[in-house]
Amino acid sequence: MAKLGTYKLELIGQEVPLVIYRERRASVRVSIGKKNLILRVPTMVTDSMLQQHIDWAKNWIEKQLANNSTILDKFITKKYDDGDLIHITGKMYRLSLSIEKRKTSSGRVIGDTLYLKLNRDLSGNQNQSVITKLVRRLIAMDCTADVAQRILALNKAYFQKDIKAVRLKYNTSNWGSCSSSSNINISTRLLLAPREVQDYVFIHELAHLVEMNHSPRFWKIVRDVMPNYEEKEEWLKKHGHLCRL
């Protein structure tokens, strides 16, 4: 299998990444991955035929969109402008942008405002990338204490286990994790979910302090603390793709 490269498909007014692989196969296949669309073509496909397959893949995706308009939501990049309001559960931030002559971009939180100072030499796409990273980092910093307090309270009430640290970081591969050294990590994406869904993820990770697996014993621990936890899991499956900063 050889990766031919990453292309951009114009879909729903957005550029969606398409990764193309050349491999030993008899037919062309397109699929929707976690981070990009994937097109697999036979090894003997010529460069002239490749564009036809890309067009075919785009047509296939458009047909899927007709049946389910949300399938590409995870690929949509948020764009931020000065004065935008950023809502997370229980809190709202206002974004204040200033373009300056400076080598690096930086930001800080004062009250409910995110102040970002941006390098004026950045291109439009670079600007949005820097803004997104700073927004995610600042919100994580500002919310860590509250999240840690809630996790510690749940731990005291139901688990009574040692916790080394609680950290927030933007992560798309999971909602949370618990390490063997008792560090609990939470994705800032979770801050956009309802509070009771957040509590479920906190309880899920705390249960790993008791059982570092997903055995029946683990799920019994979760159920004993939150009997309706499956409802929260279902919410994440149905709406989790909308939780992004």
Side-chain angles (χ1 to χ4, degrees):
M1 180 176 68
K3 182 178 177 180
L4 295 183
T6 301
Y7 296 74
K8 297 292 185 180
L9 288 185
E10 185 72 26
L11 293 161
I12 58 175
Q14 292 275 336
E15 285 190 340
V16 179
L18 172 72
V19 178
I20 302 178
Y21 294 97
R22 193 193 299 271
E23 56 190 27
R24 292 183 179 179
R25 57 185 303 114
S27 60
V28 178
R29 182 173 183 268
V30 62
S31 59
I32 302 172
K34 290 184 177 181
K35 296 183 178 180
N36 42 247
L37 303 175
I38 301 170
L39 177 63
R40 303 181 187 277
V41 300
T43 54
M44 300 305 293
V45 166
T46 64
D47 291 342
S48 60
M49 293 176 63
L50 184 60
Q51 186 57 52
Q52 296 178 27
H53 293 314
I54 293 173
D55 293 340
W56 173 83
K58 181 178 180 180
N59 184 59
W60 183 86
I61 295 294
E62 287 173 340
K63 287 181 179 178
Q64 306 310 306
L65 282 168
N67 296 322
N68 182 358
S69 61
T70 68
I71 60 172
L72 298 184
D73 282 355
K74 58 185 173 181
F75 302 132
I76 298 174
T77 304
K78 282 200 170 185
K79 293 185 178 180
Y80 292 106
D81 292 310
D82 184 51
D84 279 356
L85 299 178
I86 302 171
H87 298 264
I88 65 172
T89 301
K91 193 166 186 177
M92 181 176 69
Y93 295 95
R94 186 178 70 83
L95 188 59
S96 176
L97 306 178
S98 62
I99 311 297
E100 303 177 0
K101 184 179 180 181
R102 53 191 295 124
K103 292 183 178 180
T104 60
S105 300
S106 64
R108 59 178 178 163
V109 185
I110 300 179
D112 59 358
T113 301
L114 306 180
Y115 291 95
L116 273 58
K117 296 181 179 181
L118 307 172
N119 178 351
R120 70 181 185 185
D121 294 327
L122 295 175
S123 67
N125 288 338
Q126 289 175 324
N127 229 7
Q128 283 298 322
S129 177
V130 169
I131 293 171
T132 299
K133 289 177 182 178
L134 286 172
V135 165
R136 292 171 178 173
R137 188 183 308 159
L138 291 173
I139 289 178
M141 290 171 54
D142 196 50
C143 295
T144 295
D146 176 65
V147 168
Q149 184 178 24
R150 290 168 59 192
I151 289 175
L152 292 174
L154 287 167
N155 182 51
K156 182 178 180 180
Y158 300 106
F159 300 94
Q160 295 89 48
K161 295 293 181 179
D162 292 331
I163 298 175
K164 186 176 180 181
V166 175
R167 300 187 179 97
L168 261 68
K169 185 178 180 180
Y170 194 84
N171 181 10
T172 59
S173 61
N174 58 44
W175 297 103
S177 64
C178 177
S179 71
S180 58
S181 55
S182 300
N183 291 314
I184 292 180
N185 305 292
I186 300 297
S187 173
T188 48
R189 293 186 302 130
L190 188 65
L191 299 174
L192 284 81
R195 195 174 178 88
E196 62 272 16
V197 174
Q198 296 174 19
D199 285 340
Y200 159 64
V201 175
F202 299 161
I203 290 166
H204 184 116
E205 301 312 328
L206 285 166
H208 280 310
L209 295 174
V210 183
E211 285 288 322
M212 288 296 290
N213 53 52
H214 288 109
S215 64
R217 173 172 158 76
F218 168 83
W219 289 113
K220 183 181 184 304
I221 294 169
V222 175
R223 186 178 293 106
D224 287 345
V225 178
M226 181 177 276
N228 64 343
Y229 80 89
E230 290 175 326
E231 296 177 6
K232 319 309 176 190
E233 277 206 328
E234 189 64 22
W235 189 96
L236 288 171
K237 290 177 182 176
K238 287 184 176 180
H239 308 290
H241 63 282
L242 298 174
C243 296
R244 58 184 185 273
L245 291 167

